[in-house]
Amino acid sequence: MSTIQTWDPIAYAKNARFVSDLGSPVVELLAPQPGERILDLGCGDGVLTKKLVELGCEVVGVDSSGAQVEAARTLGLEAYVVNAEELAYREEFDAVFSNAALHWVKRADAMIERVHRALRPGGRFVAECGGHGCVAKIRTALVQALERRGIDGESRVPWYFPTPGDYATRLEHAGFRVNSIALIPRPTPLPGDIIGWLETFAGSFVAGLSGKEKNEYLQEVRAGLEAQLVNANGVWVADYVRLRFSATKE
Ligand code: BEZ
C-alpha cells in the first residue's frame, strides 16, 4: 500500500463511510460461517470486520495504517499494522477477506503468495477492490492537472486496477482455483463534494505541494470533473468499477 497516502479515521468516516456500507455483496460472496477464523486484509477502521465478528467469526484485521488499526481496536477488534506483502501467517485461516484495499497493493504477486500461505488447504480468498477502469475520469483529471504543472502525474498514481484475466492468472499462478471473478461497474454517489474524496484518497498526487498549491490543484481537478460527475440532482457520483472474486486454495 502506498507510503505517501495517509489515513485519518475521522475524515475517512466522513468522506468514505460508503466503502464499508457498500460491502454487503462481497460479505455475501464470502458466506462466513460461525466459528470460522478469518483474516480481514486491509481492514481499515474495522467497521466491516466487526460485521464478520457479529456473524460469529473469529476475525483478525490487518492494515498498513497505524491510525486505522487504532480505530479498529477502539471497536474491540483484534487488529495489527501489517503490510499486505509481508503477511507472516501460515495455514491459519479458513478465509482471507478483503474489501476496497487490494488496489493499493502494487506488488500483487507477493501479496497473493502470502495470502495463499496464510490459508488452510481448501481455504478461500474472497475480495472486492477497484477493477480495470475504476475512477478513470478522476484519475485522468488528477494526472493531467499535475502534468500542466510539469510534474509526472502517472508516476504518482498509487492504484492498480486489474482486469479479471490479469488477476485470475496471478491467483492461479499462486495455486488458487478461481471460482468466480468479474468486473462490476458501480457508479457511487458521494456523501459530499468531490474535494472530500480527493482529500481522503488522492494523497500521493498532492505530495510536495504547498497548502496554496494543493488548494489550487484540487479546485482545478474539481472544475474539470464537475460536468462529468455531478448528476441532475447536484450529487457527485464517482465512476467506480469493482473487481470481485472468490478463489480456493487447492
Ligand atoms: C476503490 O475502492 O475502488 C477506490 C478507492 C480509493 C481510490 C480509488 C478507488
Side-chain angles (χ1 to χ4, degrees):
M1 295 176 205
S2 166
T3 50
I4 301 169
Q5 176 69 39
T6 57
W7 301 102
D8 169 357
I10 294 171
Y12 189 84
K14 177 168 171 246
N15 297 315
R17 178 52 57 229
F18 64 88
V19 173
S20 51
D21 287 349
L22 297 175
S24 306
V26 67
V27 173
E28 278 165 31
L29 187 62
L30 174 67
Q33 302 301 309
E36 280 193 319
R37 186 160 167 78
I38 296 178
L39 178 67
D40 185 352
L41 179 56
C43 65
D45 62 9
V47 169
L48 213 46
T49 324
K50 191 159 180 247
K51 293 222 160 80
L52 300 179
V53 171
E54 286 165 358
L55 290 169
C57 302
E58 194 184 306
V59 190
V60 176
V62 292
D63 201 281
S64 62
S65 161
Q68 292 284 60
V69 164
E70 275 307 310
R73 286 181 180 164
T74 64
L75 298 180
L77 299 166
E78 181 182 352
Y80 304 101
V81 181
V82 181
N83 284 322
E85 304 95 327
E86 287 156 20
L87 291 174
Y89 302 101
R90 286 181 185 269
E91 305 214 339
E92 200 178 307
F93 293 97
D94 299 300
V96 174
F97 169 81
S98 184
N99 181 51
L102 301 185
H103 51 264
W104 296 99
V105 181
K106 288 238 165 147
R107 291 171 51 227
D109 291 324
M111 175 271 293
I112 292 169
E113 187 195 316
R114 296 295 178 115
V115 168
H116 189 270
R117 198 170 72 178
L119 285 167
R120 296 179 177 139
R124 359 206 254 293
F125 183 19
V126 178
E128 180 172 313
C129 61
H132 189 65
C134 189
V135 295
K137 294 186 172 108
I138 299 175
R139 181 192 193 283
T140 300
L142 286 162
V143 168
Q144 288 181 349
L146 278 185
E147 285 177 352
R148 283 193 289 276
R149 288 160 172 77
I151 298 170
D152 176 3
E154 282 297 331
S155 71
R156 301 284 187 103
V157 175
W159 311 305
Y160 165 51
F161 295 131
T163 63
D166 177 5
Y167 228 70
T169 302
R170 292 180 191 279
L171 290 164
E172 285 164 0
H173 187 253
F176 284 101
R177 172 167 40 84
V178 177
N179 307 310
S180 65
I181 187 162
L183 275 186
I184 300 131
R186 194 201 64 197
T188 301
L190 301 180
D193 197 276
I194 189 81
I195 294 288
W197 190 97
L198 296 171
E199 285 182 337
T200 306
F201 293 116
S204 63
F205 294 91
V206 297
L209 300 185
S210 70
K212 181 167 175 282
E213 288 166 339
K214 174 182 160 185
N215 191 40
E216 285 169 1
Y217 169 72
L218 292 181
Q219 288 302 330
E220 188 177 314
V221 171
R222 179 187 189 281
L225 287 170
E226 196 166 9
Q228 303 178 73
L229 297 184
V230 177
N231 72 13
N233 299 320
V235 174
W236 283 90
V237 180
D239 50 340
Y240 275 58
V241 178
R242 318 312 296 155
L243 179 72
R244 193 181 301 148
F245 66 84
S246 164
T248 303
K249 176 171 176 171
E250 304 229 83

